Amino acid sequence: MSDKIILTGIKPTGQPHLGNYVGALKPLIESAKTNKTFMFIADLHALNIIHNPADIKQHTYEIAAILIALGLDLNNAVLFRQSDIVEVYQLSTMLMNVTPKGLMNRAHSYKAAMDKNAAAGQDTDAGVNMGLYTYPVLMAADILLYNSDEVPVGADQKQHVEFARDIAGYFNNIYGPTFKLPNAVIGPDAGLIPGLDGRKMSKSYDNIIPLMAAENELKKKIMRIITDSKMPDEPKDPDTSTIFQLYKHFATDDEIAALRDQFLSGGMGYGTAKNILFEKINSVLTPIRERYNYLMTHTDEIDSVLADGAARARVVATATYERVRRAMLG
Ligand code: ADP
Ligand code: TRP
């Protein structure tokens, strides 16, 4: 067990897919076996996009159920709902006062919204709410409230973690050492898993395989993976094949070596390769899916895990917030 504190938030905006699993969820579950981890469902961060409470609630359950079903070690990991800890809003309000407005103007997500508006010939701030504009301050509050050392994120979130570090620095300069300076950590497979069309698997490209897809849906999706037009007897390149790239993350070393040989030597059609991939992924995910389906019909069990997590998170959050309150207000 190391002394490092790992923290990450997952936004409840849709069903996680195989890319999220390989790039983010699997490494987090592994790391939580040996590191003190805070993992929360970032429902407040979803509010600037999702205005339907039933959707947020449903997606919150889905993510919590997936993490529990994947076997998250709930001794080392504190799993909770962001909005259950009121200190995060309080800290966010405090941090506003040391955060330069110019920093928010430089945020990639805000700039992307402005660029889109400009391209459509609209006012650059059209449709931009303060939730989107101040998103990085709330995220800094998440990170600093729990004394995080490392924040595993995808590449698109790296700037937000750097902002949290900047904001902690501004605060410490004015009020004395109060916050640790966190670091973003980007895992080796983050963002690298291809989707059905060969581009990065992503909700925004409509090319995903949902992690908890039922068996028949999983099979249908895998059969739809786009391949090149090589005939069965031709040798094929495993390293550019979506099928092989997915297989690598579910099979054993021996199985991976065997499929690589079959690709390179020819004699295996893509249809056969897809069947091998389906059988492998399905065998890994079936027990997880069963636990997930059970939890989704017993949400009181999820509520109790989240309530326990909130109680443990609150102990740290109240102590940090009290430190900040005293530093700022005397
Ligand atoms: P999406 O692109 O579907 O919206 P997110 O941006 O919400 O996915 O990603 C959440 C996490 O999952 C990040 O840590 C990210 O690195 C990881 N992730 C997302 N897509 C992939 C992918 N195709 N391959 C590997 N990791 C991914
Ligand atoms: N903004 C992150 C995302 O969109 C989710 C998130 C919210 C987060 N708070 C966080 C991630 C704190 C890491 C640390 O994916």
Side-chain angles (χ1 to χ4, degrees):
M1 191 73 177
S2 79
D3 292 335
K4 273 191 312 206
I5 297 179
I6 316 281
L7 169 136
T8 201
I10 303 175
K11 238 180 355 181
T13 46
Q15 277 262 355
H17 50 71
L18 293 186
N20 299 140
Y21 171 67
V22 173
L25 302 176
K26 203 170 156 213
L28 275 172
I29 304 276
E30 202 45 45
S31 147
K33 289 180 185 161
T34 50
N35 292 295
K36 174 92 184 148
T37 304
F38 289 93
M39 209 179 282
F40 60 89
I41 299 145
D43 53 353
L44 296 171
H45 273 117
L47 286 178
N48 72 76
I49 314 169
I50 305 187
H51 291 156
N52 177 353
D55 285 351
I56 297 205
K57 192 167 180 187
Q58 172 70 12
H59 291 320
T60 297
Y61 277 140
E62 286 166 1
I63 291 175
I66 285 180
L67 290 167
I68 301 167
L70 287 170
L72 177 66
D73 178 341
L74 291 168
N75 289 319
N76 292 338
V78 179
L79 176 63
F80 63 104
R81 196 190 262 123
Q82 182 187 27
S83 61
D84 280 345
I85 307 299
V86 293
E87 283 76 8
V88 82
Y89 330 129
Q90 296 173 322
L91 180 58
S92 184
T93 302
M94 295 306 221
L95 294 179
M96 297 278 179
N97 301 290
V98 300
T99 303
K101 175 170 177 285
L103 195 69
M104 300 299 99
N105 292 340
R106 290 202 297 278
H108 297 321
S109 45
Y110 174 54
K111 283 195 354 197
M114 287 201 299
D115 289 348
K116 207 167 152 198
N117 281 332
Q122 286 185 305
D123 183 292
T124 49
D125 275 339
V128 174
N129 57 39
M130 288 302 285
L132 170 65
Y133 189 63
T134 61
Y135 187 107
V137 184
L138 179 60
M139 187 153 155
D142 288 326
I143 294 171
L144 302 179
L145 193 56
Y146 302 100
N147 307 314
S148 318
D149 294 293
E150 290 186 359
V151 185
V153 283
D156 65 322
Q157 296 296 314
K158 186 165 177 264
Q159 187 198 39
H160 288 151
V161 182
E162 287 163 0
F163 280 6
R165 195 181 164 90
D166 293 342
I167 293 170
Y170 299 138
F171 192 101
N172 290 348
N173 276 339
I174 302 171
Y175 295 107
T178 307
F179 293 122
K180 280 199 224 169
L181 303 184
N183 286 303
V185 177
I186 299 185
D189 297 310
L192 293 185
I193 300 299
L196 298 179
D197 56 1
R199 291 186 293 173
K200 170 190 182 263
M201 188 178 289
S202 171
K203 284 192 292 287
S204 355
Y205 295 151
D206 200 16
N207 64 356
I208 68 159
I209 304 180
L211 176 58
M212 288 294 106
E215 189 168 316
N216 55 351
E217 189 195 352
L218 179 65
K219 183 157 200 170
K220 245 193 266 167
K221 293 274 184 194
I222 288 178
M223 293 306 153
R224 275 180 36 204
I225 292 174
I226 293 174
T227 61
D228 58 32
S229 52
K230 292 221 164 69
M231 301 302 287
D233 53 341
E234 286 181 80
K236 300 174 180 65
D237 180 4
D239 297 321
T240 56
S241 162
T242 301
I243 302 171
F244 187 76
Q245 292 315 307
L246 285 171
Y247 188 75
K248 268 197 331 201
H249 293 284
F250 291 87
T252 63
D253 289 348
D254 287 348
E255 290 167 336
I256 298 167
L259 192 69
R260 170 177 277 281
D261 278 350
Q262 282 182 280
F263 264 79
L264 293 173
S265 57
M268 175 186 64
Y270 282 122
T272 308
K274 286 178 180 179
N275 267 319
I276 294 172
L277 175 65
F278 164 71
E279 293 298 339
K280 179 47 58 190
I281 295 188
N282 194 43
S283 72
V284 173
L285 293 184
T286 295
I288 299 167
R289 194 192 297 124
E290 280 166 8
R291 285 198 292 276
Y292 171 81
N293 288 338
Y294 169 85
L295 288 163
M296 290 305 285
T297 51
H298 296 79
T299 49
D300 52 319
E301 294 190 23
I302 305 178
D303 285 331
S304 108
V305 170
L306 293 177
D308 176 61
R312 291 159 69 198
R314 199 168 290 123
V315 174
V316 180
T318 48
T320 306
Y321 182 69
E322 184 51 26
R323 217 162 60 226
V324 170
R325 203 191 56 75
R326 254 189 279 124
M328 293 185 92
L329 295 168

